[in-house]
Amino acid sequence: MNTENKFKLIFNSLSCNEAFARSVIGVFALQLNPTLSQLTDIKTAVSEAVTNCIVHGYPNSIGEITLEGIINDDTLHINIFDSGVGIENIDKATEPFYTTKGEEERSGMGFTIMKTFMDDIKIESSLNNGTKIYMTKKIN
């Protein structure tokens, strides 16, 4: 039996909403009965993606971030979108330790953490049109 459940949440790019997004995805993922380790991985990946939207997508303004969660059978799909400044070079941005905010003590590990903790990640971005991050995690 193919089961699907989904949600869509839009929130402001305020740092306090990073924890909100993390909590929402954690509660949503519980219906797949993940291990504590899997749940932590999911929440951490979402935290990194949302933080990137806040810090890099909207560096000098408040914008909207969209978080979508979709469950198909035993797989969690997470989509995170912003309409911010975009990423000039995705290959460069996904290199470990690369950051455009070195003066703010950023580690440049956000995309590396997302790739490590999720089964699949895809990034689409264009300058001045925002960034879309698609992540999946299969829960056995």
Side-chain angles (χ1 to χ4, degrees):
M1 179 171 94
N2 185 6
T3 57
E4 180 179 278
N5 191 13
K6 61 184 175 180
F7 77 89
K8 182 176 185 177
L9 176 67
I10 300 171
F11 54 91
N12 286 337
S13 61
L14 301 170
S15 60
C16 61
N17 284 334
E18 177 270 327
F20 177 57
R22 186 179 166 93
S23 296
V24 168
I25 201 64
V27 171
F28 185 71
L30 284 176
Q31 60 196 289
L32 290 173
N33 198 26
T35 64
L36 186 56
S37 177
Q38 289 170 323
L39 189 59
T40 299
D41 289 353
I42 292 164
K43 290 167 63 175
T44 301
V46 167
S47 177
E48 292 294 333
V50 169
T51 297
N52 277 359
C53 294
I54 294 167
V55 172
H56 301 287
Y58 301 108
N60 302 309
S61 64
I62 303 298
E64 289 184 342
I65 299 170
T66 300
L67 170 63
E68 297 176 338
I70 303 153
I71 291 176
N72 280 316
D73 295 323
D74 61 353
T75 304
L76 174 63
H77 303 270
I78 301 167
N79 306 323
I80 300 173
F81 309 144
D82 70 52
S83 299
V85 300
I87 300 170
E88 185 173 349
N89 184 331
I90 292 173
D91 290 335
K92 186 84 172 156
T94 57
E95 290 177 6
F97 306 112
Y98 176 80
T99 181
T100 59
K101 302 281 184 180
E103 72 282 358
E104 296 180 20
E105 298 183 26
R106 298 276 165 200
S107 70
M109 292 297 291
F111 284 123
T112 301
I113 290 168
M114 287 179 243
K115 287 180 178 181
T116 301
F117 289 172
M118 301 300 285
D119 295 331
D120 189 48
I121 176 174
K122 290 182 178 55
I123 305 159
E124 296 175 359
S125 190
S126 63
L127 290 179
N128 302 313
N129 289 313
T131 301
K132 298 178 180 181
I133 301 171
Y134 304 91
M135 300 184 283
T136 59
K137 181 85 166 176
K138 185 172 180 146
I139 307 296
N140 298 324

